[in-house]
Amino acid sequence: MNSDNRPLDFLCLGAQKAGTSYLVGALRSHPDIQLPSCKELHFFSPIGEYKSHGDFSQSNFGKDLDWHRQQFQVDDRVRGEVSTHYLFDPDCAKRIKRSFPDVKLFAILRNPVDRAFSQYNMERYKTAKERRPLMQIVRDEPDNEILMRGMYFQQLVPFMELFGPDQIR
């Protein structure tokens, strides 16, 4: 793709298992919106996407803004990105603010209990990352990622502190 210096218009801070795949499909179908070719760029967070059996794929963290801009076509459409990792990584807010200070942000969230159960099922049956019963995790490891990803207030605070109320929904 070609590159220009236009900023990113919006960024979705999606909770994992909260409907981001559906949202990406809906946004891709809109003629005035442009997303990168892959669902998540993993540009602002070193956490990559799941592969099977608990491994993570390559993150694009550490690449420069020119690389990020090259993920978009040069045209007049609104540019956006959707990621489930930016919300969970508390350092992403600073990285995003440094790179795109005027970007509009919105969070897509889900009932935390339903979200945790969905992630648990994914990690147990799709990625084989988790083998324990869910209730054992709740009892023995209350700070497990499956449970912590539903602590939305803690995750949103860094964004609320850095971005104005007119920039975040």
Side-chain angles (χ1 to χ4, degrees), residues 32-87:
D32 296 328
I33 295 176
Q34 179 183 174
L35 300 177
S37 59
C38 62
K39 179 185 172 205
E40 298 187 45
L41 286 181
H42 303 285
F43 181 74
F44 295 105
S45 177
I47 302 171
E49 185 58 71
Y50 282 112
K51 286 183 179 178
S52 61
H53 305 293
D55 295 330
F56 288 97
S57 67
Q58 179 68 31
S59 170
N60 292 304
F61 179 72
K63 294 184 179 179
D64 63 17
L65 278 177
D66 286 336
W67 179 90
H68 189 274
R69 288 183 183 109
Q70 290 170 5
Q71 307 313 301
F72 298 90
Q73 296 177 16
V74 178
D75 61 29
D76 293 332
R77 291 180 291 168
V78 172
R79 293 179 177 180
E81 187 185 337
V82 177
S83 177
T84 61
H85 295 287
Y86 299 165
L87 182 63

